[in-house]
Amino acid sequence: MSTASGPVLAADGTPLKRSLARALRVQKIRALLLIAPLLLFVLVSFVAPIADMLFRSVENQIVAETLPRTTKALRSWDPEAQELPDEAVFEAAYYDIFIAAERKQHTRLGSRLNYEQTGMSSLFRKSGRGLDDIGEVYQDQFKDLDRNWDEPEPWVELMGAPSWVAALQDWEKGQPLPPFALRDGVADLLPLTAREYALFARFTQQEDGKSPLKEEPWTAVHTALYTDLAAADLSGYDGPRAEMLRAADAAVDAPGFETVRFRDGFAEIDEDWLSPDVWRTIQIYSPAYTSGYFLNAVDMQKTPEGVGLRDERERIYGLLFKRTMFMSLMITFSCILLAYPVAYLLANLPMRSANLLMILVLLPFWTSLLVRTSAWKVMLQQQGVINDTLVWLGLVDDAARLVMINNQLGTIIAMTHILLPFMILPMYSVMSTIPPSYVRAAKSLGASNWTAFWRVYFPQSVPGIGAGSILVFILAIGYYITPEIVGGTTGTFISNRIAYHISSSLNWGLAAALGTILLGVVLVLYWAYDRIVGIDNVKLGG
Amino acid sequence: MAEQGTDSAFVAFERVQKSYDGETLVVKDLNLSMPKGEFLTMLGPSGSGKTTCLMMLAGFETATHGEIRLDGVSINNIPPHKRGIGMVFQNYALFPHMTVAENLSFPLEVRKIGKSDREAKVKRALDMVQMGAFGGRRPAQLSGGQQQRIALARALVFEPELVLMDEPLGALDKQLREHMQFEITRLAHELGITVVYVTHDQTEALTMSDRVAVFNDGRIQQLDPPDVLYEKPANSFVAQFIGENNTLEGVVTRIEGETCVVRLDDGEELDATPVNVTTVGERTRVSIRPERVEFNRDRLKPGAHTLKAEVLEFIYMGDIFRTRLKVAGNEDFVIKTRNAPDQVRLEPGTEIEIGWLPQDCRALDAS
Ligand SMILES: Nc1ncnc2c1ncn2[C@@H]1O[C@H](COP(=O)(O)OP(=O)(O)OP(=O)(O)O)[C@@H](O)[C@H]1O
Ligand SMILES: [Mg+2]
């Protein structure tokens, strides 16, 4: 047999490697199919939310989407100079906020920007209502000139393509509305008006489901008409409603036609629009992705000069992160101290007593978390069981009862109790695998009880401590209910802040950034643990 | 059984009893004394109290009653780590988080021996078990036999005078086991240490020990050197437990000094040595080793009693022949003959007569 030449062949003559790969592939596919439901579940319920959170923490499309023209116009503005942006920016902001108000998106943008600068929310809310005042100036004058300017049909004829107009006239309720199309040439003649009318027509048809033949146009369309007419030359125009348009053009050009500067219009709504800070904020947060949430989460902010620390008064997250870390470490540490002897007893007591003890360890799992936490409130409060006992024993003066709740101490006590089983169980499962013969061997070799424990038993129980500590620390760092109930103001965690942003302030971006940082911290700690102790040193049993 | 004066003994158990639950005695009235340098094996069926005795000696269990003395001093109240007794555990109990060298230097460290001294002793102990090259390894990286040797070295490194071993070879295969049996006895004799060795395995007990203590039911049934144990079992338990053995039951009809006559239940008579029968009419169980049965009439004393036997089966085993007979109703009567050139091969179905020297046939208790 010449096995040395060429690749080894299988019985059917194909190279052995290939037939092996084929055989294995079938197995792999089968295995994959078997775990597919679980994989899908994990992806949907675990990976996807985390990915979404990571994305939300940098996502900032709302500013550019709601104020597309304003952010574009602001690009050339120099925020360093103590000057307001020019009229073009105000004009762009007028049209942007107008349509945003029609779509009821201006309040959302207001709340988004309010995270960066307080007062933005009310500013946008007011402006949504107030912008009509600017347009009404023009609307009224055009209406006085010719009643038709306030009627829907002339506008339809003027702006729409004839085919659309015809289709619209035949339209009956219940049928789909014909899609809007601009009349040829009108966009060159009256560019702004065409744009605004198109926005109006599409919005009316699609969002409201109504016919533009029945709805009078927005005041923004009148404003645009004024701007166009002031610049346009209508001499060659012979399309529909030429008479009406020429008359309007003449009126606009005539002295005595009342105009409003956009800037003054905005100032009329709220003086704040004249503060460069407002425009600066809009400019800084106009990119689609922002590091703003993350900066905010570490007590920093963007300024025109770059990134800087926030005001002393506004810095809270650094403190909260540090406190969360410190308290989680304290909780982990006290859990180790309390759990070690219990786990040792569990592993070394005779079966019957060990089982009883195990039930006592597991008992807390059968009571609601809320009940356990509230029980600590009862125990620890100033008129509570512990203080009463101490006073009764005379150890503490009635006037100087200990404060053990609504502070860090309360949180540490309650959480140590609640997380204790998570420390005991891994420790126990590791300890129960240590045969008693090791300690016996150590003693027979001359080690005292303490030496035998410290040099032989303890090192072998370290993997249990490691596993328990990781479990408790990671649970503690993200704990929410217990600090909320017993933590008061000084004993709350970063997670309480995250919950606040999720459910009360609705600043999900910031909540996501805080969550992402927390995740990062845990991963870094995990990595550090792996480097120092080694992750294969962690055992949950066996 | 306390044949020696306990004053000169190195290890002595005196009237020791042990109960774990306060209801049953696991060890009943144990008396044992060992001179210095002896290799004593405790042999017995499972649950007979061997480990318990060893643990009482090591200090991990306390005797319920009685006294244990080491070198003349009562050690009942001395904690295990102050007894200075080396111990080899059944599962070796090498510390998994320490290297082999660290394992060996552990007993020296706790005795506060200086570093250079320690290293020299560890090296010597490792060389002694031919494991000098393995000092840096973890126990998990060693084979079973290697772990066993390290465990032995660790028990010896601090030079104890007494070493206890609880079934130390239980987990090894036959070949390695035989090798280690040899190593252990060699070391024990070289170092002059006293060893108490526990095993299930009678060959191990017979080949290694100076004396063997056969345990049953919490008592020492017999404590004797291996040859005495094999050839002169003191009761039927020992006879059954050690080696292969044929038994026949009957009644003592005559006792004349060193010999007696036993009538079997089917009426035949045979000669035996009375061991624990004292009166005529007593029921007895006689025991004969298979290799001491003779079927060649010429080799028997004239006038000796013989029994009729029918050959049931002949098994060729290489060095010996094993023949199964039916004797006095017992179908499991076995004889062994050496495979010599002139040896007869008995055909199944033939009728023969068998007999033996009276001193090879022992009349024991009937229970
Ligand atoms: N810790 C204990 N608690 C209660 N009973 C025990 C304990 N250890 C041993 N026993 C009982 O004591 C008796 C003797 O046990 P021991 O371990 O001494 O037997 P052994 O001769 O070593 O058996 P083996 O050959 O199986 O190891 C047994 O019946 C056993 O059930
Ligand atoms: Mg045992």
Side-chain angles (χ1 to χ4, degrees):
Chain A
M1 288 274 284
S2 62
T3 44
S5 64
V8 187
L9 297 184
D12 61 354
T14 51
L16 194 55
K17 264 207 174 126
R18 198 187 313 152
S19 46
L20 181 68
R22 196 190 306 138
L24 286 182
R25 191 170 338 117
V26 174
Q27 275 184 12
K28 273 186 202 154
I29 291 173
R30 285 237 299 269
L32 206 65
L33 282 178
L34 215 60
I35 60 156
L38 186 67
L39 198 67
L40 205 70
F41 176 77
V42 168
L43 277 177
V44 168
S45 66
F46 192 68
V47 177
I50 288 184
D52 181 63
M53 179 188 78
L54 292 175
F55 180 65
R56 263 175 205 280
S57 63
V58 291
E59 189 246 25
N60 187 45
Q61 275 143 350
I62 183 168
V63 179
E65 263 172 18
T66 320
L67 305 176
R69 284 159 289 207
T70 318
T71 50
K72 214 161 146 199
L74 266 175
R75 248 174 244 163
S76 55
W77 178 59
D78 173 18
E80 303 278 354
Q82 285 304 309
E83 272 172 31
L84 274 179
D86 54 22
E87 184 68 6
V89 172
F90 279 98
E91 183 181 355
Y94 167 76
Y95 290 118
D96 280 342
I97 298 176
F98 195 97
I99 176 84
E102 289 298 335
R103 289 182 177 142
K104 307 212 165 31
Q105 283 171 345
H106 63 302
T107 48
R108 273 183 52 209
L109 178 66
S111 343
R112 162 69 190 98
L113 289 174
N114 204 52
Y115 304 144
E116 313 301 340
Q117 188 182 340
T118 43
M120 291 292 248
S121 182
S122 65
L123 186 63
F124 273 85
R125 209 172 328 110
K126 265 196 221 165
S127 309
R129 278 184 261 113
L131 283 180
D132 269 341
D133 293 347
I134 299 175
E136 272 165 15
V137 173
Y138 300 109
Q139 192 191 25
D140 289 348
Q141 293 183 78
F142 284 127
K143 192 167 77 183
D144 292 345
L145 192 70
D146 188 338
R147 275 219 59 81
N148 274 333
W149 282 121
D150 206 23
E151 294 296 324
E153 298 95 350
W155 277 103
V156 169
E157 282 170 36
L158 185 62
M159 306 307 293
S163 59
W164 175 69
V165 177
L168 200 62
Q169 274 155 353
D170 295 341
W171 177 75
E172 277 168 31
K173 236 185 156 87
Q175 288 168 344
L177 282 154
F180 174 76
L182 274 174
R183 192 162 58 80
D184 283 343
V186 73
D188 297 327
L189 190 72
L190 305 168
L192 262 184
T193 319
R195 188 188 73 188
E196 289 305 308
Y197 189 82
L199 279 174
F200 157 76
R202 293 205 173 105
F203 181 86
T204 312
Q205 292 197 354
Q206 284 160 20
E207 315 277 313
D208 289 350
K210 288 178 179 159
S211 163
L213 271 174
K214 302 263 155 49
E215 298 288 309
E216 56 185 78
W218 298 333
T219 55
V221 180
H222 295 98
T223 312
L225 181 66
Y226 160 73
T227 315
D228 280 340
L229 288 181
D233 173 20
L234 287 176
S235 48
Y237 180 71
D238 57 355
R241 303 280 174 176
E243 289 293 303
M244 188 173 142
L245 202 56
R246 283 217 188 81
D249 189 25
V252 165
D253 291 341
F257 191 84
E258 191 192 346
T259 63
V260 192
R261 282 177 68 207
F262 288 106
R263 183 177 149 167
D264 297 339
F266 272 99
E268 187 85 0
I269 296 164
D270 197 316
E271 279 294 317
D272 279 353
W273 283 116
L274 297 187
S275 138
D277 280 348
V278 168
W279 298 101
R280 219 170 270 149
T281 306
I282 294 177
Q283 193 191 35
I284 290 172
Y285 291 97
S286 43
Y289 297 97
T290 177
S291 56
Y293 291 123
F294 275 102
L295 290 175
N296 196 347
V298 293
D299 287 338
M300 301 217 265
Q301 64 184 357
K302 280 184 174 182
T303 59
E305 300 88 55
V307 172
L309 273 177
R310 278 177 186 265
D311 271 3
E312 198 93 45
R313 291 174 290 115
E314 291 178 2
R315 289 181 209 158
I316 53 165
Y317 298 113
L319 177 78
L320 272 175
F321 271 118
K322 267 185 245 154
R323 186 197 289 164
T324 306
M325 278 309 201
F326 168 76
M327 286 175 56
S328 299
L329 282 175
M330 286 300 293
I331 290 161
T332 310
F333 195 67
S334 32
C335 274
I336 294 176
L337 285 187
L338 290 178
Y340 200 93
V342 178
Y344 182 86
L345 278 181
L346 271 175
N348 289 290
L349 239 43
M351 203 55 159
R352 279 181 51 158
S353 350
N355 279 345
L356 190 71
L357 193 60
M358 188 55 125
I359 289 176
L360 291 181
V361 168
L362 291 178
L363 203 60
F365 277 136
W366 305 337
T367 12
S368 147
L369 175 61
L370 226 51
V371 172
R372 272 179 284 159
T373 307
S374 312
W376 275 112
K377 217 164 169 124
V378 175
M379 296 274 285
L380 294 174
Q381 59 187 272
Q382 284 197 296
Q383 303 302 323
V385 181
I386 293 180
N387 264 313
D388 281 351
T389 314
L390 289 176
V391 168
W392 181 73
L393 287 173
L395 293 172
V396 165
D397 192 66
D398 199 8
R401 285 170 174 256
L402 303 177
V403 185
M404 293 182 292
I405 195 95
N406 296 334
N407 57 12
Q408 298 198 1
L409 182 67
T411 307
I412 290 177
I413 292 176
M415 279 184 62
T416 299
H417 167 240
I418 283 161
L419 295 178
L420 201 54
F422 294 99
M423 185 68 88
I424 293 177
L425 292 177
M427 275 188 181
Y428 163 67
S429 70
V430 168
M431 285 181 185
S432 58
T433 64
I434 304 175
S437 61
Y438 287 130
V439 169
R440 287 190 164 182
K443 285 187 191 167
S444 82
L445 294 171
S448 63
N449 289 342
W450 169 251
T451 316
F453 168 77
W454 182 245
R455 297 266 325 261
V456 173
Y457 193 87
F458 181 78
Q460 296 187 63
S461 64
V462 164
I465 301 180
S469 301
I470 288 192
L471 213 60
V472 168
F473 184 79
I474 289 177
L475 282 174
I477 213 173
Y479 229 67
Y480 159 68
I481 295 179
T482 307
E484 184 74 28
I485 296 177
V486 299
T489 48
T490 59
T492 49
F493 279 17
I494 194 73
S495 42
N496 300 100
R497 202 68 199 163
I498 295 179
Y500 165 78
H501 284 307
I502 293 280
S503 57
S504 301
S505 83
L506 301 183
N507 189 354
W508 286 24
L510 180 55
L514 289 170
T516 305
I517 291 178
L518 203 56
L519 182 66
V521 167
V522 169
L523 289 180
V524 166
L525 285 173
Y526 185 81
W527 174 81
Y529 185 92
D530 187 31
R531 290 304 293 276
I532 299 165
V533 186
I535 210 65
D536 16 314
N537 253 331
V538 169
K539 268 200 255 168
L540 289 168
Chain B
M1 248 160 268
E3 66 268 49
Q4 292 160 326
T6 46
D7 304 334
S8 66
F10 182 57
V11 177
F13 284 77
E14 237 173 61
R15 315 218 56 166
V16 172
Q17 295 185 322
K18 172 72 185 175
S19 170
Y20 284 106
D21 50 9
E23 284 167 14
T24 51
L25 281 174
V26 170
V27 174
K28 299 167 186 158
D29 193 26
L30 180 77
N31 291 288
L32 173 73
S33 70
M34 287 173 70
K36 212 169 188 137
E38 187 179 46
F39 196 118
L40 183 132
T41 300
M42 293 179 173
L43 176 69
S46 194
S48 55
K50 308 179 296 288
T51 301
T52 306
C53 285
L54 213 60
M55 288 300 161
M56 286 193 288
L57 187 52
F60 298 120
E61 296 291 352
T62 48
T64 316
H65 176 82
E67 194 176 51
I68 303 171
R69 278 202 299 269
L70 183 62
D71 214 4
V73 185
S74 167
I75 54 170
N76 283 27
N77 293 317
I78 298 180
H81 65 275
K82 295 210 176 116
R83 296 191 181 188
I85 298 175
M87 185 146 184
V88 179
F89 290 81
Q90 182 164 14
N91 58 359
Y92 318 139
L94 296 176
F95 307 139
H97 58 291
M98 298 182 189
T99 63
V100 164
E102 284 166 353
N103 261 286
L104 258 68
S105 94
F106 181 84
L108 306 174
E109 275 170 48
V110 299
R111 285 181 170 74
K112 310 249 177 343
I113 291 173
K115 188 155 187 288
S116 55
D117 227 12
R118 232 158 51 204
E119 277 166 8
K121 284 186 188 219
V122 167
K123 188 174 170 336
R124 191 154 13 104
L126 282 177
D127 288 341
M128 188 173 72
V129 293
Q130 288 125 39
M131 293 285 292
F134 295 85
R137 292 226 196 150
R138 291 282 165 115
Q141 298 165 322
L142 300 176
S143 75
Q146 290 169 332
Q147 291 185 26
Q148 170 56 44
R149 284 192 224 174
I150 299 301
L152 188 61
R154 190 179 66 175
L156 297 175
V157 70
F158 62 99
E159 293 160 14
E161 295 191 341
L162 175 61
V163 176
L164 314 181
M165 305 190 192
D166 190 358
E167 299 185 39
L169 307 181
L172 303 186
D173 65 60
K174 188 166 173 289
Q175 211 162 352
L176 197 55
R177 204 164 153 138
E178 281 167 6
H179 179 71
M180 286 303 298
Q181 287 170 6
F182 170 74
E183 294 268 296
I184 290 173
T185 31
R186 180 182 62 85
L187 278 171
H189 287 131
E190 268 176 26
L191 301 172
I193 48 176
T194 313
V195 178
V196 180
Y197 191 98
V198 167
T199 183
H200 263 121
D201 180 341
Q202 44 160 310
T203 352
E204 200 166 290
L206 295 179
T207 52
M208 294 174 81
S209 333
D210 296 329
R211 281 196 300 163
V212 179
V214 180
F215 272 68
N216 188 36
D217 194 23
R219 281 181 211 279
I220 294 182
Q221 302 291 332
Q222 188 171 358
L223 173 62
D224 269 313
D227 53 341
V228 178
L229 208 62
Y230 185 80
E231 286 170 29
K232 300 197 167 76
N235 56 38
S236 55
F237 173 81
V238 178
Q240 291 285 336
F241 193 74
I242 308 280
E244 208 172 357
N245 194 52
N246 294 309
T247 55
L248 298 167
E249 292 196 17
V251 180
V252 182
T253 53
R254 204 156 27 122
I255 301 182
E256 286 167 3
E258 289 294 283
T259 58
C260 65
V261 176
V262 176
R263 193 174 62 233
L264 301 180
D265 296 344
D266 67 346
E268 286 181 292
E269 290 199 327
L270 53 78
D271 302 317
T273 310
V275 179
N276 35 21
V277 288
T278 46
T279 50
V280 171
E282 202 178 332
R283 269 202 83 76
T284 180
R285 179 182 283 170
V286 297
S287 115
I288 315 107
R289 297 284 177 202
E291 65 274 16
R292 297 295 169 95
V293 178
E294 194 55 73
F295 55 88
N296 187 342
R297 270 212 77 100
D298 306 342
R299 297 213 206 121
L300 289 173
K301 262 191 202 148
H305 283 109
T306 56
L307 297 178
K308 284 197 183 65
E310 183 193 345
V311 178
L312 295 179
E313 195 180 6
F314 175 84
I315 303 167
Y316 177 82
M317 293 179 76
D319 54 346
I320 56 160
F321 302 147
R322 193 184 146 93
T323 315
R324 193 157 64 82
L325 309 175
K326 177 175 175 182
V327 178
N330 178 356
E331 295 195 353
D332 279 323
F333 199 99
V334 170
I335 62 176
K336 284 184 191 164
T337 45
R338 213 162 51 85
N339 182 2
D342 59 344
Q343 191 62 266
V344 195
R345 301 190 181 193
L346 294 168
E347 288 298 319
T350 48
E351 300 265 328
I352 56 169
E353 277 191 40
I354 56 169
W356 41 76
L357 300 176
Q359 64 264 31
D360 288 334
C361 175
R362 295 168 71 80
L364 305 169
D365 50 306
S367 62

